Amino acid sequence: MSDKMFGYVTIDKMELKFKEYYSYKGYYCGLCMSLKNKYNNFSRLTLNYDMTFLILILSSLYEPDNKIYNSRCIVHPTKKQLIIQNDITEYAAGINIILSYYNLKDNWDDEKDIKSLAALSILKGNFNKARSELVAKSEKIKEILLNMSLLEEQNTNDIDKVSNEFGHLMEEIILYKTDVWENTLRKIGFFLGKYIYLLDAYEDMEKDKKNNSYNPFNNLNVEDIDKYAKEILMLNLSFLSEAVEKLPLVQDKEIIDNIIYSGILMKIKNTSTDEKGESR
Amino acid sequence: MKDPYEILGLQRGASKEEVKHAYRILAKKYHPDMNVDNPLADLAEEKFKEIQQAYDDIMNGSSSSSSYTTNGYNNSNSNLNAIRQQVNVGRYQDAIRALNSVLDRNAEWNFLMGVCYVNLGSTGQGVQFVQRAVSMEPSNIEYQNFLTQITNMQRAYQSKTYNYGRGGSNSTDCCTQLICADCLCECLGGDLISCC
């Protein structure tokens, strides 16, 4: 897993109303606060927008009791920020820790990157804490990440197979509860994860070629790679939006629509051939 | 069977958003957790299940269905019939394994392969298989329908992304302007529309 999940699923800020923008930021800062309160400040480096999207969807579906307040934080020391927290935020914070830990471990195992080792030792305590509360999830995540690195090692040219694994990973993550919505939530997680993996790989094509790193797009035998990539990305987003529309989402639906019908696409549009590799 | 729209207290043909709103309100009212001390808890639970079923029926019925399946009708090829059965009950991995050992890769073979791939999430490859099936046997309605379902879903998404932010036909109507004015007021600390 090469630093996947780095904010591919974002809002289209210009199209949001003020109050929607503040709610969105409230969820984002809520996740940040949960990471700080339960774990420690270091953990907040792992924060990302993709996780905020999951919190939005799950909060809209389950409408848990929200704790809403204003607070200062390290990132915004002068101005108080709106914070929205609930049980789902706590869950997402735990998952965030588990993912970061395995991500760093992967970096250390692959590249013997000393920074990763240092970070790992700091994160270890948090990881154990998060893991103890989410044992089953943590095991599943570990298993899927292993499958993924095996496929990458084999240098597979089956772009679906390897991106499906990341889809299954997000499927596990979004499944906060097993109830009547399980099938639909699994689809949302799956197509979201698959989209993130594919977009990340597409963006890194040139870089990975240079570094001789695995990238499924570089193993493909297609004429117009940009056209092909855009087609499969759009196909995945179609499946994603179809699944999202199956859920009875009312709360914050405007923000969710903003993300799936506009924000999520902005990264594809930005990833034109000339910027590729540099856009992060 | 009762009309699902009626169960949700809606007119037939109500929009998806109306269905979601109605479901929310009713599901909250009859949710088992909300009726623990209610002497009629059993009735409430029954009602809750009915609402859930009605919601699922509406959401899966009209749009391009929730699962992409074969329509189950049989061709003459007995060899593929057994595999088709597996596909129909969702045993896609088994079906793919069986399909891989079939030598005659005709249109139906490609179609079944495509259905399996799409359902396993390998959507790109799945669509390619079905496209091949359609080009091998253009007159087959089943193959065509499957492909159309996916194309329609893609079109629906693309048109939603295209129209997003453009506000459709009523972007300059009075209501939108009022909301804009409200946002501006809120910016300056006031509030024109109190509810939002």
Side-chain angles (χ1 to χ4, degrees), chain A residues 236-278:
Chain A
N236 271 296
L237 288 181
S238 309
F239 277 98
L240 170 69
S241 79
E242 189 192 48
V244 171
E245 293 295 352
K246 289 262 149 71
L247 293 178
L249 306 183
V250 173
Q251 177 188 295
D252 299 319
K253 183 67 190 335
E254 297 81 6
I255 311 175
I256 294 167
D257 282 350
N258 175 282
I259 294 171
I260 58 173
Y261 295 117
S262 188
I264 205 167
L265 287 157
M266 291 166 84
K267 285 278 171 165
I268 309 187
K269 287 180 189 148
N270 291 340
T271 311
S272 62
T273 325
D274 46 42
E275 305 177 273
K276 209 177 297 155
E278 263 78 54

Side-chain angles (χ1 to χ4, degrees), chain A residues 15 19 60-61 63 158 160 164 181 187 190 194 239 241-242 245-248 250 258 260-261 265, chain B residues 20-21 23-24 28 52 55 59-60 64 66 68 121-123 125 153-154 157 160-161 164-165 196:
Chain A
E15 292 293 345
K19 58 168 183 175
S60 177
L61 181 61
E63 296 187 1
D158 190 336
D160 272 319
N164 284 358
W181 309 114
K187 276 189 193 145
F190 178 82
K194 190 161 168 161
F239 277 98
S241 79
E242 189 192 48
E245 293 295 352
K246 289 262 149 71
L247 293 178
V250 173
N258 175 282
I260 58 173
Y261 295 117
L265 287 157
Chain B
K20 289 175 191 177
H21 273 98
Y23 168 83
R24 275 273 158 210
K28 236 173 256 172
Q52 186 67 43
Y55 180 82
M59 284 303 173
N60 295 328
S64 50
S66 64
Y68 292 85
S122 297
T123 45
Q125 292 183 68
M153 181 195 68
Q154 282 177 287
Y157 178 67
K160 272 192 158 174
T161 62
Y164 184 83
C196 60

Side-chain angles (χ1 to χ4, degrees), chain A residues 64-200:
Chain A
D65 290 336
N66 282 334
K67 198 171 127 201
I68 303 172
Y69 59 99
N70 286 298
S71 171
R72 283 197 180 82
C73 64
I74 290 184
V75 192
H76 308 99
T78 51
K79 201 176 159 232
K80 282 197 171 180
Q81 299 294 313
L82 180 74
I83 313 277
I84 305 176
Q85 283 173 311
N86 57 38
D87 290 349
I88 290 158
T89 324
E90 295 296 312
Y91 166 76
I95 293 285
N96 217 318
I97 296 284
I98 293 170
L99 281 177
S100 318
Y101 179 82
Y102 284 130
N103 193 18
L104 285 170
K105 196 159 182 300
D106 193 54
N107 285 351
W108 167 245
D109 292 346
D110 285 358
E111 293 153 25
K112 298 288 170 232
D113 164 26
I114 202 79
K115 265 189 287 178
S116 301
L117 185 67
L120 262 182
S121 63
I122 302 174
L123 201 59
K124 182 83 185 170
N126 285 333
F127 169 73
N128 287 335
K129 192 166 164 187
R131 195 186 171 279
S132 67
E133 283 170 28
L134 297 160
V135 179
K137 286 275 172 216
S138 172
E139 285 307 300
K140 259 268 149 65
I141 289 172
K142 194 170 143 193
E143 187 193 317
I144 296 170
L145 289 175
L146 183 69
N147 289 343
M148 224 164 72
S149 63
L150 285 177
L151 281 169
E152 294 189 346
E153 257 166 51
Q154 292 161 9
N155 199 20
T156 180
N157 58 5
D158 190 336
I159 192 164
D160 272 319
K161 206 171 182 179
V162 58
S163 57
N164 284 358
E165 287 298 334
F166 203 72
H168 294 316
L169 179 75
M170 292 298 274
E171 207 179 306
E172 276 314 312
I173 292 171
I174 201 172
L175 209 64
Y176 168 69
K177 257 191 215 175
T178 8
D179 57 16
V180 289
W181 309 114
E182 176 173 353
N183 282 337
T184 313
L185 281 176
R186 277 190 183 278
K187 276 189 193 145
I188 295 173
F190 178 82
F191 288 112
L192 185 71
K194 190 161 168 161
Y195 172 78
I196 292 171
Y197 185 93
L198 290 171
L199 184 54
D200 184 72

